[in-house]
Each structure stands twice: as C-alpha cells, then as structure tokens.
Amino acid sequence: MPDVTWDFTGKVALASGGASGIGRAAATAWLAAGARVAILDQSAERLEETAAALGGERLLTVCGDVTEVADCERAVDETLRRFGRLDVLLNAAGIGGIGRVWELDPLVWDRVLAVNLRGTFLLTRAATRWMVEHREPGRVVNIASTNASVPTTGHSPYCASKAGVVAFTQVAALELAPRRVTVNAIAPGPVDTNLTAPLFAMAGARDAFLRHIPVGRIGRAEDIAQMILFLSSAAAEWVTGQCFYVDGGQSLVALPPYIDLVEQLLGVAPAGAPIC
Ligand SMILES: NC(=O)c1ccc[n+]([C@@H]2O[C@H](COP(=O)([O-])OP(=O)(O)OC[C@H]3O[C@@H](n4cnc5c(N)ncnc54)[C@H](O)[C@@H]3O)[C@@H](O)[C@H]2O)c1
C-alpha cells in the first residue's frame, strides 16, 4: 500500500466494527496518523486480539451491540470520558444474511436491517448529539456497499440495508451540514475480511468475483481505510452526503461485459454500429 501521510494528532475517532476487517484497518491507520481511537464491537474475543495487536494509551475498546441504544450511548460516553472529545465516527459494523425472498427467515431480515441500518442510525445519533451540543465540527463515515445500488440475488436484506445506509447518509448530511458535521458513505466492492472469508473459501468463488473487477484483484481492507481517512480528514470539509464507490471498478461491470459478450457470440470483433 503506497504511503499517504495523514495527520490526526489531537483527533478522536470512534469506529463500530473496529475489531475486524475494514473497521480495524481504519483504526490502525488512524492510530498511525496520531489519533486516539475507540472501537465498539460485539466480539469480546476480537476486541481482545485487536487490543493486543494495536493497543496502547491511544486505544479504547468497548464491547457492545450497535443495535442497542444503551450500548451506542455507552460507547460514546466511554470515548468522551477517556479522550475528552469526539471528532470522527465510522459506522463499519455490518453483517450479511442470504436467502431467496420466498424462503428467507424474517429473523434474518430483521437482524441484517438492525445491525446495518438501525446500528448506523443509533451510533450516529449518539455521536452527533455530542458534536452538535458542543458546537464541534465532525465527520461521520458510513460503510455501505456496492450492493446499495447493484442488486444481487439472495441478498435482499443486505441490499436493502445498504441502500438505506446511503439514504440515511444523505438526510443526515443535510441536517448536519449547518452544524459543520459532514456525513458520507463508502460503497466497497468485495474485500478480503472475516466477513467474506467463508465465501472466498469456496472453490471458484474468487475467480468468479475477479471476472467482474476491472482492476484485477479483490480489495484489501486498507484500500477502504484510505478513503475513510480522507473523508474523516480536514481536507474533506466540503464533501458531504456522497457515496464513494471503492471497488476496483466492480460497479461499472454489473452487467456482463457487453462487447466481450458480443464478440463471444459472433466469434469476431464487432465493428461499427451497435448491435442493439
Ligand atoms: N468485506 C466486504 O467485501 C465488504 C463489501 C462491502 C461492504 N462491506 C461492509 O463493510 C463493513 C465492515 O465489514 P468487514 O468486511 O470489515 O466485516 P468483518 O466481519 O471483518 O468486521 C465487522 C465487525 O463488525 C462487528 N459486528 C457485527 N455485528 C455487530 C454488532 N451488532 N454490534 C457491534 N459490532 C458488530 C463484528 O464483530 C466484526 O468485528 C460492513 O458494514 C460490511 O457490510 C464489506
């Protein structure tokens, strides 16, 4: 990963889902840039491991569930008690849950929507309340997905939750802009993390995904962390309400690559006029 120099000295960031994958990569990058970082995650085991790997005076871990109002408020309170302020919120806690619509367990639907969408709302609510009350400028970065706008079968709760995250981001950005708090979303393509490990462990899955990624590799959590750092930096003051696709170009090829398909079908390169 090329070295981009960020300076977050004096800043405090809180990341949900920060004990794994994208959230942990952001926490690592913020710590390297001088920030103090709090992590809210429901996995005590991953928090312990993260604290052992990154820990020190500038890291706080909080075990809790983003779907619970009390846990979100406690995470903000503990961050403020330990570090005295809160400049940046990252909503990265997220889960998947698959099944075709007519077979899907409503409990799976409820849990995916609760973690991905309600959790994003609850922690944003708790964090921005402090920013607004203390008239402090702030940054909120929400992790959506390419699936917010690119549908895929079996993923109705995930797609709906991530589309919801983008809509929530836009409304929150409008409400918070006059209070100098920006709110943006990132839509990652497939990234190697604990979330995708079971998928990519299946024979052939990696190659199937790679065929739809023009840049030619699966993403790394650090690819997303670089965008998180930009959006949470002072440099992004005039950026709000946007959703940034960080996906190696995947969202550009949601349809089968047209000209390749036509070439395949015709057996020759199509010249001139479009065929349809
Ligand atoms: N990995 C990908 O390919 C990919 C692609 C697009 C979007 N995303 C999104 O990025 C975000 C981070 O995903 P990741 O790939 O780093 O996953 P991950 O599983 O590696 O990390 C997610 C973390 O969130 C925590 N978490 C889950 N539910 C929680 C809850 N209710 N309360 C608190 N913490 C909870 C987990 O314990 C875990 O540590 C998610 O929102 C995911 O939907 C991931």
Side-chain angles (χ1 to χ4, degrees):
M1 184 66 46
D3 217 9
V4 182
T5 307
W6 299 104
D7 185 5
F8 281 78
T9 310
K11 301 288 183 194
V12 175
L14 166 63
S16 76
S20 177
I22 291 168
R24 177 159 158 173
T28 307
W30 277 321
L31 286 168
R36 287 165 291 167
V37 177
I39 287 173
L40 168 64
D41 202 289
Q42 71 171 9
S43 166
E45 195 186 327
R46 284 183 186 169
L47 280 172
E48 210 172 294
E49 193 222 312
T50 303
L54 313 178
E57 285 296 291
R58 291 191 286 117
L59 181 70
L60 167 72
T61 60
V62 181
C63 194
D65 183 340
V66 292
T67 70
E68 298 290 338
V69 176
D71 287 2
C72 290
E73 295 191 341
R74 182 166 52 83
V76 170
D77 288 348
E78 287 190 25
T79 304
L80 293 170
R81 205 173 310 125
R82 169 82 172 266
F83 298 135
R85 55 182 300 108
L86 179 55
D87 303 284
V88 176
L89 170 66
L90 169 67
N91 285 301
I95 58 168
I98 63 167
R100 291 189 173 81
V101 168
W102 63 94
E103 294 163 335
L104 189 69
D105 183 341
L107 292 176
V108 172
W109 174 277
D110 289 346
R111 187 64 189 162
V112 174
L113 269 287
V115 175
N116 296 0
L117 188 51
R118 175 182 160 90
T120 296
F121 158 63
L122 288 182
L123 199 54
T124 303
R125 175 177 177 269
T128 57
R129 187 187 298 145
W130 183 85
M131 292 169 184
V132 168
E133 279 174 6
H134 290 78
R135 298 176 188 276
E136 290 282 348
R139 300 276 183 271
V140 178
V141 182
N142 297 325
I143 303 300
S145 164
T146 48
N147 289 143
S149 64
V150 181
T152 187
T153 55
H155 260 309
S156 59
Y158 189 76
C159 292
S161 71
K162 295 302 188 178
V165 166
V166 174
F168 172 72
T169 298
Q170 293 167 336
V171 176
L174 277 175
E175 291 176 0
L176 286 157
R179 273 99 175 170
R180 297 186 299 152
V181 177
T182 65
V183 188
N184 289 288
I186 297 172
V191 176
D192 269 316
T193 66
N194 284 318
L195 187 71
T196 50
L199 169 71
F200 290 139
M202 286 188 274
R206 219 177 165 81
D207 285 344
F209 272 80
L210 277 173
R211 278 197 286 279
H212 295 274
I213 302 179
V215 167
R217 67 169 170 83
I218 300 295
R220 304 177 190 118
E222 292 74 17
D223 293 316
I224 314 304
Q226 287 303 310
M227 182 59 101
I228 294 168
L229 261 70
F230 167 66
L231 291 173
S232 60
S233 74
E237 186 183 64
W238 215 51
V239 182
T240 198
Q242 305 305 308
C243 179
F244 296 89
Y245 285 73
V246 182
D247 66 351
Q250 186 210 30
S251 53
L252 304 174
V253 287
L255 295 173
Y258 176 78
I259 197 161
D260 303 282
L261 181 68
V262 173
E263 249 172 30
Q264 246 176 38
L265 295 173
L266 292 177
V268 290
I275 289 165
C276 61

